[in-house]
Amino acid sequence: MRVFLAGATGVIGRRLAPLLLKAGHGVTGTTRTSAKVAMLRELGIAPVVVDVLDARALAQAVAAARPEVVIHQLTDLPSAPGTAGYPAAQESNRRLRIEGTQNLMQAAKLAGARRAIAQSIAFVYAPGEGIRAEDDPLYLAAEGVRRLTIEGVVALEREVLQTQGIAGVVLRYGLLYGPDTWYETPPRPPSVHVDAAALLAIDKGAGVYNIAEDDGAVTSVKAKHELGFDPAFRIAHSANN
């Protein structure tokens, strides 16, 4: 299948691209800067430099790739929680999730894509007792920086799941840990190793899935049964990486 991987140079995108190629898919991957084109070529995918906030340029890039499947792994989070730049980063990420997702889904629709898979997060559920499942309510009453996150997630998921003519899949990741992330070990529930998050859902599943370890915060039973999610999955990295 032809795959358009938006956010190919991100921490999950870099892991996902080789898995897609190994599975026999043709992959076009995006970056916002020409400085990362070489990285994409080394991964073995066709590079395209585009800003997803530029709707016209993005539509042209997606149309040229003629994808059957569009994968949304876009984030804009240069600053970790607790750092001075974190609130501003959340505002940028909110815009990316709202405007960028809308642009990407409209471009996918115009290009004739039939399926979309998008990154979301599993730490957005409303407070309460017990393990959270996909149909539990989100924390819509959140305030401050947290509210920016929730607003972005709600808009992203709505766009992916409700764009007419495209089968949408939303992967709600736990907090990522492992190489190239902010955390070496699980920071707090729900968490997931970044390798396990590089899940192929090209031709499986529909709707929303929690992608996290069995740490008592959320259940990933649905993803295990329908997508083959394995929280213990790890990628064999070469000594040069």
Side-chain angles (χ1 to χ4, degrees), residues 134-172:
E134 289 84 353
D135 56 357
D136 282 322
L138 304 187
Y139 192 16
L140 301 181
E143 299 179 350
V145 174
R146 184 76 171 146
R147 184 174 185 84
L148 298 177
T149 300
I150 302 297
E151 288 176 349
V153 166
V154 168
L156 178 152
E157 295 191 357
R158 180 176 60 243
E159 198 71 31
V160 171
L161 297 174
Q162 296 182 8
T163 296
Q164 189 174 7
I166 296 181
V169 176
V170 169
L171 305 178
R172 288 180 180 164

Side-chain angles (χ1 to χ4, degrees), residues 59-239:
Q60 292 173 343
V62 177
R66 298 183 299 113
E68 298 161 89
V69 180
V70 170
I71 300 179
H72 180 342
Q73 286 290 344
L74 297 160
T75 57
D76 189 2
L77 289 170
S79 301
T83 64
Y86 185 68
Q90 285 300 309
E91 176 56 47
S92 296
N93 207 42
R94 172 184 175 275
R95 185 185 178 201
L96 185 66
R97 283 173 170 152
I98 296 174
E99 296 180 32
T101 302
Q102 184 178 45
N103 291 344
L104 182 61
M105 292 304 297
Q106 288 306 304
K109 182 178 179 179
L110 290 172
R114 59 177 180 79
R115 189 169 177 82
I117 303 154
Q119 172 188 146
S120 187
I121 52 177
F123 38 99
V124 288
Y125 292 103
E129 298 295 327
I131 298 175
R132 292 291 179 265
E134 289 84 353
D135 56 357
D136 282 322
L138 304 187
Y139 192 16
L140 301 181
E143 299 179 350
V145 174
R146 184 76 171 146
R147 184 174 185 84
L148 298 177
T149 300
I150 302 297
E151 288 176 349
V153 166
V154 168
L156 178 152
E157 295 191 357
R158 180 176 60 243
E159 198 71 31
V160 171
L161 297 174
Q162 296 182 8
T163 296
Q164 189 174 7
I166 296 181
V169 176
V170 169
L171 305 178
R172 288 180 180 164
Y173 298 128
L175 289 161
L176 299 177
Y177 72 93
D180 306 319
T181 72
W182 291 330
Y183 309 105
E184 293 184 8
T185 58
R188 62 175 174 82
S191 297
V192 64
H193 192 280
V194 65
D195 286 356
L199 175 69
L200 295 182
I202 292 295
D203 55 3
K204 294 182 287 186
V208 179
Y209 297 87
N210 289 328
I211 306 296
E213 296 178 350
D214 299 319
D215 51 22
V218 302
T219 175
S220 296
V221 169
K222 182 181 175 185
K224 292 175 182 177
H225 287 173
E226 297 185 19
L227 304 180
F229 169 59
D230 179 5
F233 173 75
R234 299 294 183 269
I235 296 171
H237 297 277
S238 70

Side-chain angles (χ1 to χ4, degrees), residues 9 31-42 47-50:
T9 58
T31 177
R32 286 180 291 179
T33 170
S34 58
K36 294 185 178 180
V37 165
M39 177 194 297
L40 294 179
R41 289 196 173 119
E42 287 175 7
V48 58
V49 179
V50 66

